[in-house]
Amino acid sequence: MTPTDLPTQATLHHLLIREGFTSGAEVVAWADGWILRLDSWSEELTDISLSGGNGGKILSALGRLALPTLSQQAFGHLCGLLLARLEADAGELSAVNSLLWRVHYDGFHGVRPLEFEPTVGLCWFHEWENLIPDCLQDMTPDELRREVTDFLRFYAPPAS
């Protein structure tokens, strides 16, 4: 199920545009959709709508709208989006895994972003192609892809 509240969607869009998983034009269309549905809206939605797709302006406005944490539902939705991306292009493994690692371990807005503790571990894929899971072990890229896919399927909503 897609989160229906503006702050949660803004948080997800902030992550996705920051990490290059969505475009400025897609976020502008999202903001315009909210503006059309609401009787009154925040200055941030107007800023996004009038940004001309400028990533810096969009990130700034989304950052003001975004929540400091992700609920389990929002994280599940993010996992569903990332799963679809990984299934469409196996070459996205490094980007998907890096985003998951940063969301879980490095934080969002400088704090730990998840409102819950995932029960399934993550692996980290360094640029130099060393694979570093929660406990150090050797993995091939195919093994890592299977592990990341299993993680995403575990948390993604069933409709994903």
Side-chain angles (χ1 to χ4, degrees):
M1 179 179 179
T2 302
T4 57
D5 64 295
L6 178 63
T8 300
Q9 286 187 10
T11 305
L12 291 171
H13 277 75
H14 188 275
L15 282 169
L16 294 172
I17 195 167
R18 185 186 77 195
E19 300 296 326
F21 285 92
T22 192
S23 69
E26 290 170 312
V27 179
V28 168
W30 165 81
D32 290 345
W34 272 99
I35 288 170
L36 291 172
R37 286 191 305 253
L38 299 171
D39 293 329
S40 63
W41 54 88
S42 68
E43 181 180 318
E44 289 82 9
L45 284 175
T46 301
D47 291 347
I48 294 167
S49 183
L50 299 176
S51 70
N54 179 293
K57 291 179 181 179
I58 291 170
L59 275 172
S60 176
L62 284 173
R64 294 188 309 271
L65 285 172
L67 300 168
T69 60
L70 285 177
S71 66
Q72 188 161 356
Q73 179 202 22
F75 183 70
H77 183 69
L78 175 65
C79 287
L81 294 170
L82 296 176
L83 177 62
R85 188 169 184 117
L86 186 57
E87 288 177 337
D89 182 359
E92 293 287 338
L93 175 63
S94 180
V96 166
N97 198 45
S98 292
L99 173 58
L100 287 171
W101 183 270
R102 284 191 298 279
V103 165
H104 184 246
Y105 292 107
D106 292 346
F108 177 63
H109 286 313
V111 296
R112 195 173 175 103
L114 299 179
E115 294 177 357
F116 68 102
E117 182 64 32
T119 57
V120 175
L122 295 172
C123 294
W124 189 16
F125 189 58
H126 277 292
E127 294 90 27
W128 57 89
E129 300 185 356
N130 290 327
L131 305 174
I132 303 178
D134 281 340
C135 54
L136 192 58
Q137 66 187 53
D138 291 327
M139 281 186 184
T140 68
D142 287 339
E143 290 169 331
L144 177 64
R145 186 173 34 262
R146 277 192 299 276
E147 189 163 313
V148 170
T149 300
D150 288 347
F151 177 90
L152 293 170
R153 283 191 179 126
F154 184 84
Y155 287 104
S160 293

